Amino acid sequence: MKLNGKVALVTGSSGGIGQGIAIRLAEEGAKVVVNYRSNPQGAEQTLDAIQKIGGDCKMLDGFCDYDRGYAIGADLGMVDDVKKLIAESIEYFGAIDILVNNAGIEKHADFWDVTEQDFDAVMNINFKGVFFATQFFVKHQIEQGKQNGRIINISSVHEDLPFPHFTSYCASKGALKMMMRNLSVELGALGITINNVAPGAIETPINKQLLNNPAQLEPLLKNIPLGRLGQPDDVSAVVAFLASDDARYITGSTVVVDGGLLWNYQEQ
Ligand code: BGC
C-alpha cells in the first residue's frame, strides 16, 4: 500500500474521473475526503466503494463507519466553501497530505455567444477554486511543519491544445498549467510537489453528449492512436503514482494521459 497513513482530499469526487481517483487512493491505503457540489448520491456511491475496500475502518452493526472516507458538500466556485472544505477535512482526519484538484466543468458555445455567467462558472470552478484550495492546503502544510505535501491538478490536454468553442475551458486549464509551474518553484523549499495530470477523452459524464453522438465519436476515436477512449482508471493510476513517495522528485510537470490524442488531434 503506497499511501498508508496518508489523507487525501479529492475535489469533485461524486462521479467521473474524481470518483475513480478517490477509490484508487483508498485502495492504496489513503483516507479520503470525497467532495461533491450537486450530486450527494454520487458521493455516497464513492463512499460505499471506499467502504468495501475495508482496511482499517471500524465495523458497526456490520457496516463500516466510513472512517476511511468522509463526504463534504462544497462548491469549488465559492472561496468561502473552499475554505470550509479544507478546514472540515483537517478537522475530520487531523490533516491533509494529498490535495487532488479535480472538480471542473466545461461549457460549449461559440466565442461570441459566451455569457458572463458561464465564463465565471468555468473560471471560478476550474481555476479560482483550485487556486484557493491550494493556498489553504499550503498554509496547513506550513502550520504543520510538514515537508512532503502533494498537489495534483486534473487539467486536460486542453491546457496546451486549442479546443474551439470551449475558449473559457481552455483558458482555465492554461491558467492551471502556469499556476502549477509557478508553484513548483515557490513551494519547493516547503517540500511540496505540484504536478498536473492532463487527460484526453475519458469515458465520463462530462462527455455524455459526445458519447451519445456517433458522428462526433467516430472521428475522435480515429484521432486517438491507442484506438479507444480512456477510462477513469487510466487517470487514477497516474494520480496514485504522483501522490506516492515514488514520485518524490517530480514537480512542475504535466503527465498527459490521452492515448496519444494530443499529437494527433484534428478538429472536426
Ligand atoms: C474535455 C472533453 C474532451 C477531451 C478531448 C477534455 O478535457 O473535457 O470534453 O472530449 O478533453 O478533447
Side-chain angles (χ1 to χ4, degrees):
M1 300 287 245
K2 286 182 190 293
L3 302 177
N4 263 347
K6 302 284 182 189
V7 178
L9 164 60
V10 184
T11 67
S13 41
S14 56
I17 292 175
Q19 183 172 63
I21 293 170
I23 295 169
R24 177 64 191 254
L25 298 186
E27 282 168 355
E28 297 290 344
K31 295 186 175 179
V32 180
V33 178
V34 174
N35 156 251
Y36 63 94
R37 177 174 57 122
S38 53
N39 183 7
Q41 296 89 342
E44 199 60 37
Q45 278 172 13
T46 313
L47 276 179
D48 281 347
I50 290 173
Q51 171 192 8
K52 290 205 182 80
I53 296 161
D56 59 4
C57 76
K58 294 183 205 131
M59 299 301 285
L60 294 175
D61 299 330
F63 290 99
C64 170
D65 70 347
Y66 290 145
D67 218 10
R68 294 282 306 277
Y70 183 59
I72 302 176
D75 180 346
L76 265 288
M78 318 244 294
V79 175
D80 278 353
D81 269 29
V82 174
K83 194 171 187 173
K84 281 191 215 132
L85 171 64
I86 300 279
E88 205 180 322
S89 305
I90 294 168
E91 201 182 321
Y92 192 79
F93 281 131
I96 310 173
D97 306 292
I98 302 158
L99 172 65
V100 183
N101 289 311
N102 165 79
I105 60 169
E106 63 187 37
K107 303 265 183 191
H108 178 275
D110 291 331
F111 175 70
W112 46 91
D113 285 336
V114 174
T115 62
E116 185 178 355
Q117 197 186 14
D118 280 357
F119 175 90
D120 284 345
V122 170
M123 292 306 281
N124 287 348
I125 292 178
N126 295 12
F127 183 57
K128 188 176 175 186
V130 175
F131 189 103
F132 285 100
T134 303
Q135 186 189 69
F136 298 136
F137 172 76
V138 168
K139 285 184 182 176
H140 163 64
Q141 292 286 309
I142 293 170
E143 276 161 21
Q144 301 255 309
K146 290 197 166 174
Q147 275 286 323
N148 53 6
R150 291 276 193 276
I151 301 159
I152 299 153
N153 300 322
I154 306 308
S155 171
S156 165
V157 286
H158 300 298
E159 69 170 41
D160 273 319
L161 182 71
F163 193 17
H165 315 290
F166 289 91
T167 299
S168 54
Y169 179 74
C170 290
S172 72
K173 298 299 185 180
L176 265 191
K177 178 175 74 176
M178 284 315 298
M179 184 187 105
M180 177 274 289
R181 290 184 183 176
N182 264 281
L183 294 186
S184 68
V185 178
E186 200 170 336
L187 305 183
L190 300 171
I192 298 172
T193 69
I194 178 164
N195 294 288
N196 282 11
V197 173
I202 310 295
E203 211 173 315
T204 67
I206 208 172
N207 278 319
K208 202 163 73 197
Q209 194 241 341
L210 169 76
L211 296 170
N212 292 322
N213 182 351
Q216 246 185 312
L217 186 58
E218 279 161 27
L220 173 65
L221 285 173
K222 289 205 180 90
N223 288 346
I224 302 177
L226 291 183
R228 65 169 176 87
L229 293 178
Q231 295 299 318
D233 276 1
D234 296 320
V235 180
S236 61
V238 177
V239 175
F241 165 68
L242 288 173
S244 77
D245 196 48
D246 289 340
R248 60 193 166 270
Y249 202 56
I250 304 177
T251 194
S253 291
T254 292
V255 181
V256 178
V257 184
D258 71 342
L261 173 71
L262 182 58
W263 301 127
N264 201 38
Y265 183 86
Q266 293 154 44
E267 176 63 15
Q268 303 303 316

